[in-house]
Amino acid sequence: MIKPTITALSAAIVLALSGCSTTSTQQQVVTEQVVQSNPLLQNFKGPYQGVPQFDKMELADLKPALEFGMAEQLAEVEAIANNPESPTFENTIVALERAGQTLDRVYAYYGIWRANKSSPELRQISAEMAPKLSSFYSKITQNSKLFERVKKVYESKKLKELTPEEQRITWMTYNSFARNGATLSGEAKERYTQINQELASLYTQFSANVLADEENYVVYLTKEQLSGLPSSFIEAAAAAAKERGKEGMYAITNSRSSMDPFLTYSQERALREQVWKNYYNRGGNGDEFDNNAIIKDILTLRHERVNLLGYDNYAQWQLESRMAKTPENAMGLMNKVWPAAIARVKEEVTDMQAIADKEGAGITIEPWDYRFYAEKVRKDKYDLDSNEVKQYLQLDKLRDAMFYVAGRLFNFEFSEVPAGEVPVFHPDVRVWEVKDKTTGKHIGLWYLDPFARKGKRSGAWATTYRSYTTFDGKTNVLSSNNSNFVKGAEGKPTLISWSDAETYFHEFGHALHFLAADVVYPSSHNGVRDYTEFQSQLLERWLTTDEVINKFLVHQKTGKPMPKELIAKIKKSATFNQGFATTEYLASAIMDLLYHSTDPALIDPAKFEKEQLDKLGMPKELVMRHRSTHFGHVFSSEGYAASYYGYLWAEVLTSDAAEAFASAPGGFYDKEVSERLVKYLFSVRNAMDPAQAYRLFRGRDADVSALMRDRGFPVTK
């Protein structure tokens, strides 16, 4: 993807937009005045090669900063496109790599507002700017002079003289243009640009609708409605209610980290049903925030756009640049796993129904019962109480465990930066400096924003404010992890579930992928979607290593390590509930591909979801992990569209790579395997073809049977 750009050339554009005519000196003065008046446009300041001025963020500055950045980007692109010299790698590809630094900084702030500090005012700005930003990108990717220069570099005989990374980013740049309308002309080119603008607005509206339902649907409980809930959850729910002006009550927010434990422990079945419906009906309540019509429009526009490029459907276009290459390959992998997954669901439901019948509940298992009775089965089969496990999963201790793993595998050392030394965007955010343990060399900073709050999108994610490159001098890394854990009561540790602990490690894996980078150019950070989840999924495996369990999984009150008996139960139950976990995920991934390989004219989203899942034999006791109307991975942007299968693709790699560690002399901390891990799987980012990188690590391609073994499914030859 071509990045936005800002340089001193922007002065002319800024003044041109305002209808002024001045000398270059005057232009420069005006540019400097604009930059100095807007912190979002300025170079990062302070220590650590400069950091974002989060303490000076003002929403009023956002729109002018974005507009200024876009104007400068276009000026720089025009300068590259109209360079009278013959196209070379340096004056074309590297020039594009160098472009966009100021607007990149603006996006660091914009990303915080959109994900961590959303508000009605921000959503209004996003809605206004989305089509403008889309038009801006189209002006770059459809700049015919620029594309011709890129094409000449790509087709030049001198390409083979470049380094492997330089050859790869040249190919990626050419591919980005070619796949995004650069080859079109006339009305088709105009229509392509128009479609992108319309889609940008729809993506913004889809996300806003989901966030509205997350904020609007909160269940408030009285003391009489808390039966079965753990004390730590009750304390957190009380704090959440107080934060929302409902002191004395208990808030079940419409987020996964609140919904999931409530459905697991609450004995109030009617309330479980209400909380379940609130969560899974987000964006689909038939009101002003309903997303069904938006989904239809998105699918229709995506289909029309790829037809302009000569593709049969969106999935075909999207997967061409992924590891899977074709929709058939992606669906083929999922079809290998689906039968075993739904067969396991039937076994799980049978076990749950037996307990419900034994207790005289007089019910048939429904989706809002699944977690509740699964927990009873867990206790019955494995004598494993999730709440007991939770007492050993303290958020701060888990963070220290992640630091320990990073030290053993990557030789990283994390030291907390004193409060106030680095600006943050919320008091909950803390910052650590990352160094090489041996040399003391500074690598970067790691920001942590762990807790749920109003205006913060649901889920967990990782991001960067600056990535490592060397082509214009070495830059350090500014990485960030963000979660939505329910904060523990004042003075009490925040306790999380085993699943949440895995997610914590997962997202930290993304951060390590950023921090371990050793590439020259910014474009080498553009990931291949069905590969980028692999590194983070792999890091989850270290949560169950003896070193982590014995050192960091200690009881919140006694401080004693998790007993060996409890550890044995956890490991024994590792494949427990895999029918549920695999099926809810696969249902979403399969539906994603079906949506994007079917003529949109034949799709009514709500009807299509039900019909297709019925054809698949979807068990009635559970639903898609992300139902269509809140499937943000797929309908709030294009990153995972027709690519949600990528988590499974990456998990095949994960399971196979984990077996490489498990069979090594030093186990999961084996020095030689760890070195290959960093060298081939983390540091290269996308400077090397992912398939080649994996073969260098493993000595062969990954084997799907490792995944089946991990999940306790039958392995067929």
Side-chain angles (χ1 to χ4, degrees), residues 189-342:
K189 195 168 191 174
E190 291 178 11
R191 179 57 184 152
Y192 192 96
T193 299
Q194 185 181 4
I195 289 172
N196 279 343
Q197 292 178 35
E198 292 176 28
L199 282 170
S201 295
L202 290 169
Y203 298 154
T204 300
Q205 188 58 50
F206 184 95
S207 298
N209 286 347
V210 175
L211 187 56
D213 277 358
E214 288 172 352
E215 292 180 350
N216 294 338
Y217 286 81
V218 179
V219 177
Y220 293 98
L221 309 180
T222 63
K223 284 186 178 179
E224 294 73 32
Q225 296 173 307
L226 302 176
S227 57
L229 297 174
S231 59
S232 58
F233 182 82
I234 292 171
E235 291 169 352
K242 183 178 180 181
E243 182 185 339
R244 289 162 174 76
K246 299 276 189 178
E247 189 166 6
M249 298 191 79
Y250 305 85
I252 310 304
T253 61
N254 207 13
S255 65
R256 193 174 190 93
S257 59
S258 186
M259 171 276 297
D260 197 86
F262 184 81
L263 295 185
T264 301
Y265 299 112
S266 175
Q267 295 174 0
E268 303 287 339
R269 190 172 189 242
L271 286 173
R272 290 204 310 269
E273 181 178 358
Q274 183 182 353
V275 169
W276 184 92
K277 287 182 175 178
N278 283 353
Y279 184 80
Y280 285 103
N281 287 345
R282 289 171 297 154
N285 290 299
D287 56 13
E288 62 181 306
F289 303 118
D290 191 279
N291 274 330
N292 278 288
I294 290 176
I295 292 171
K296 174 81 169 180
D297 290 343
I298 288 172
L299 293 170
T300 301
L301 288 168
R302 284 176 175 170
H303 188 68
E304 181 186 354
R305 192 183 65 190
V306 299
N307 284 169
L308 289 173
L309 297 173
Y311 294 87
D312 294 334
N313 57 61
Y314 183 88
Q316 185 187 74
W317 172 82
Q318 184 74 290
L319 270 67
E320 183 181 59
S321 60
R322 306 295 202 244
M323 286 188 78
K325 301 302 181 188
T326 69
E328 291 77 17
N329 287 342
M331 193 67 83
L333 170 62
M334 293 190 287
N335 285 337
K336 287 180 181 178
V337 182
W338 179 257
I342 60 174

